[in-house]
Amino acid sequence: MKIVFFGPPGSGKGTQAKLLAKELNIIHLSTGDILRDKLSDDDSLSIKLKDIMSSGNLVSDEILNQIIANKLISKECSDGFILDGYPRTISQSDFLLSFFKRNSLILDVIFNFKIDFKLVEERIILRSKQEQRSDDNIDVIKTRLDKYIEETYPVSQFFSENFSQNFFNIDASQEVSKIQKELINIIKKGQK
Ligand code: AMP
């Protein structure tokens, strides 16, 4: 099973992607988590990443595409995967779709988390207090949401038009357990 999650920062897609990966026993590929892991390396890349991520901007497509290509060809992805936070730009989407084509892979399900941006701001402020993520303070929320609107929203639109049979909008303002049940039901039912 190959699944992609779209949604603005703070929409809860990371939490849901993690729960669903466990349920389906497939790997959860969060590019945000992978990049945060790299921050602890003591090299020039980690310094560059820290600057970009703490400002709320996007890391370059070249870096992300390389990370994802390495992951997708690895054995841990052979039974399927959940992509969370990728693709985030049209260039990443082109890269992913050509990777799928080259390797005769099929995208099974796309979940698009929808939520009011005011609620997102409140959630991110709360998370910044709980997890102390450097990119969760109020100053960078706007940049992160702007990046989502400018770069990622068009990607989700592209998928909704080109994969309409496998594309599901999710009301992300609902409770965690309710959303989880909804996702599992959709997976069980398959296509629309
Ligand atoms: P996330 O945890 O998904 O919100 O990601 C945290 C940060 O990592 C983002 O604000 C970006 O700076 C960076 N990042 C994660 N995924 C991507 C991606 N696919 N493309 C570019 N930057 C990314």
Side-chain angles (χ1 to χ4, degrees), residues 24-93:
L24 300 175
N25 202 17
I26 54 177
I27 188 154
H28 170 218
L29 289 177
S30 153
T31 45
D33 285 351
I34 295 168
L35 290 167
R36 274 185 290 279
D37 269 356
K38 288 197 187 295
L39 294 182
S40 54
D41 295 349
D42 197 13
D43 57 14
S44 58
L45 176 65
S46 73
I47 295 166
K48 212 169 103 186
L49 289 179
K50 206 171 284 173
D51 271 358
I52 300 169
M53 291 169 71
S54 60
S55 68
N57 284 300
L58 295 182
V59 176
S60 78
D61 292 327
E62 290 69 28
I63 293 178
L64 265 298
N65 291 342
Q66 193 59 53
I67 289 175
I68 284 298
N70 287 340
K71 284 282 179 192
L72 296 188
I73 55 170
S74 70
K75 206 171 167 291
E76 58 183 355
C77 286
S78 56
D79 291 337
F81 46 82
I82 294 181
L83 284 173
D84 163 17
Y86 182 97
R88 239 173 165 108
T89 65
I90 292 288
S91 154
Q92 293 177 17
S93 157

Side-chain angles (χ1 to χ4, degrees), residues 96-160:
L96 181 70
L97 294 176
S98 67
F99 183 93
F100 266 61
K101 207 167 179 186
R102 264 200 319 280
N103 293 282
S104 310
L105 301 177
I106 287 169
L107 191 51
D108 297 291
V109 177
I110 301 132
F111 290 122
N112 185 40
F113 279 47
K114 300 188 98 164
I115 192 161
D116 179 70
F117 283 171
K118 199 78 212 138
L119 199 58
V120 163
E121 282 184 21
E122 286 166 16
R123 278 189 185 179
I124 293 183
I125 293 166
L126 187 71
R127 189 167 69 182
S128 71
K129 289 184 189 138
Q130 288 165 346
E131 296 178 17
Q132 305 205 313
R133 273 175 56 162
S134 62
D135 61 348
D136 264 356
N137 69 65
I138 187 74
D139 298 332
V140 294
I141 292 171
K142 213 183 157 334
T143 310
R144 299 181 70 210
L145 288 176
D146 284 350
K147 286 284 147 195
Y148 173 79
I149 295 163
E150 286 162 23
E151 305 272 2
T152 314
Y153 179 73
V155 182
S156 67
Q157 283 297 104
F158 173 85
F159 277 76
S160 79

